[in-house]
Amino acid sequence: MDVHKMSGHPGAALVVNQLMAEVAALLGRGKLHKRYRQHVAAVALDLFSAWSDDPTLYVAYPRGRDYYGVGERMALLHFDRDILTTVVDSMATLGYAEKHGGYYNHVTSRGKQARMRAMDRLAALMLSAKVAAGDIVRQHDELYLRAEKDAKGKKVALAVPKTRRTAMMQRNVRVINDLLRKTSVRLDLDDEEMAELVTALGHCPDFRCDTVYRVFNNGVMDRGGRFYGHWAQGIPCRYRAHLLINGEPATEYDFSGLHCRLLYAQAGAIPPAGDMYSLPNLSMDDNKAVRDVLKTLWLAAINAETDDAAIRATQRGVRQEFGVTVSQGELQVWLAGLRERHAPIAGFLGSGAGLRLQYADSLLAEGILLNLAAQDIPAIPVHDSFIVPLSKGPELVAAMNRAWTARYGIAIGIDAKYPVPTN
């Protein structure tokens, strides 16, 4: 459920008024408390938005009280668990929605959130009020701040401090989003390919998520800070190669071995020649799977606090992302090899430096996106890579080089992640 869906269309307000009246009558109340309006609008707009993409599409939503506790995102957005569940249950009773409960299997550690979908009656009500899917927009904050993980492994949401620096960050995100909102981004896939993508993701992309925000971590504004929120960021690379931006095929470039080179730059050392994620005693020729595992291991080792945690994260990551199974012993040998090859920065492995590096790459991303926006070139960030229209590839490479050399004064490799699709 995307609680950030909003609409300024007068018909949407009329629909919410009618739903408020019907829910009040169902509950035997003369009038609902004004807090209900936010919940009714959020449910109705998100359900209709999903219905517009696919009438059979379900929307997951949280019913558990843990999601609405102090410091949780839903609570900070002023959503109340009892009100939301009452609204969903009432709309289902009135024939506007279909709902199903969630579950969690403690043996398999697998589960599914409660889910709902719009019925034709809700769609007819919206359409009769002249509300179209394009009248629903997504409005969210520019910056989010999360605390360190608590004993349960959760990161409680915190208020972003009001400073000159955060005000400038917010203004910069708005500049980037103003251009993204005017940009058409779609996938050039046939029905079969789209079905494969939905299966791979486990859900249908929400194409109205067309803007970005920044997320900071550990309760401070210099950890994390990467850009999130655009639907294209969650698409696997093999599908991003089929993106069209304003009707033009897209291209994507990334920094070569960015976090590794950032550590060398911070240490004042010179990185070794060649691929950062290779080992001299391993045959890397035409073996992308080995490189994928080594890259995952390296990044996990930077983010994790211990070697064991890095190895477990790598095993989990490569199994989910690449369908590859690697033994703990093999990963221990490879991690030792990476330490030896990158001796000048080996001390950063197992140090939890990942969030500091994310902040560094987020500053690069901010500069690159603003540079391109000034040229009226839309760009979608995917951590350390950027997606632009194919004809704007040279401008992107120039902006990436400019941002990097301005901060670190040395050269860095920049690679194209995919060519133009053959079809």
Side-chain angles (χ1 to χ4, degrees), residues 74-195:
M74 294 295 280
L76 288 176
L77 294 171
H78 309 293
F79 279 86
D80 178 88
R81 183 261 180 192
D82 293 337
I83 294 178
L84 184 67
T85 55
T86 298
V87 167
V88 174
D89 294 347
S90 299
M91 288 180 62
T93 301
L94 292 166
Y96 289 111
E98 173 191 328
K99 69 181 180 73
H100 299 276
Y103 68 89
Y104 184 76
N105 188 318
H106 290 276
V107 176
T108 62
S109 297
R110 296 177 67 87
K112 182 178 288 188
Q113 273 195 330
R115 56 204 186 280
M116 57 183 172
R117 68 178 174 185
M119 300 295 285
D120 289 343
R121 187 181 182 193
L122 177 62
L125 182 62
M126 287 285 191
L127 294 173
S128 68
K130 309 298 183 185
V131 180
D135 297 315
I136 300 173
V137 297
R138 193 166 185 264
Q139 295 181 354
H140 51 74
D141 291 341
E142 293 84 10
L143 309 177
Y144 292 93
L145 177 61
R146 300 187 299 185
E148 292 189 68
K149 288 183 180 179
D150 60 18
K152 295 182 179 180
K154 290 187 175 182
K155 294 184 177 182
V156 175
L158 302 174
V160 173
K162 295 182 179 180
T163 66
R164 290 182 179 180
R165 181 162 154 264
T166 57
M168 179 174 288
M169 289 179 180
Q170 290 168 328
R171 286 195 297 271
N172 289 342
V173 174
R174 285 195 289 269
V175 168
I176 295 163
N177 283 337
D178 285 345
L179 182 55
L180 285 175
R181 286 192 184 94
K182 297 185 292 185
T183 302
S184 167
V185 182
R186 65 183 184 88
L187 280 166
D188 186 20
L189 299 176
D190 60 30
D191 291 344
E192 183 177 345
E193 291 168 328
M194 189 65 191

Side-chain angles (χ1 to χ4, degrees), residues 269-290:
I270 299 174
D275 189 348
M276 295 292 101
Y277 308 118
S278 64
L279 290 176
N281 58 335
L282 283 177
S283 174
M284 305 297 293
D285 294 340
D286 300 321
N287 196 344
K288 184 177 182 299
V290 173

Side-chain angles (χ1 to χ4, degrees), residues 346-364:
F348 289 104
L349 299 184
S351 68
L355 289 177
R356 293 195 295 274
L357 294 173
Q358 285 184 21
Y359 179 66
D361 72 46
S362 78
L363 295 179
L364 289 169

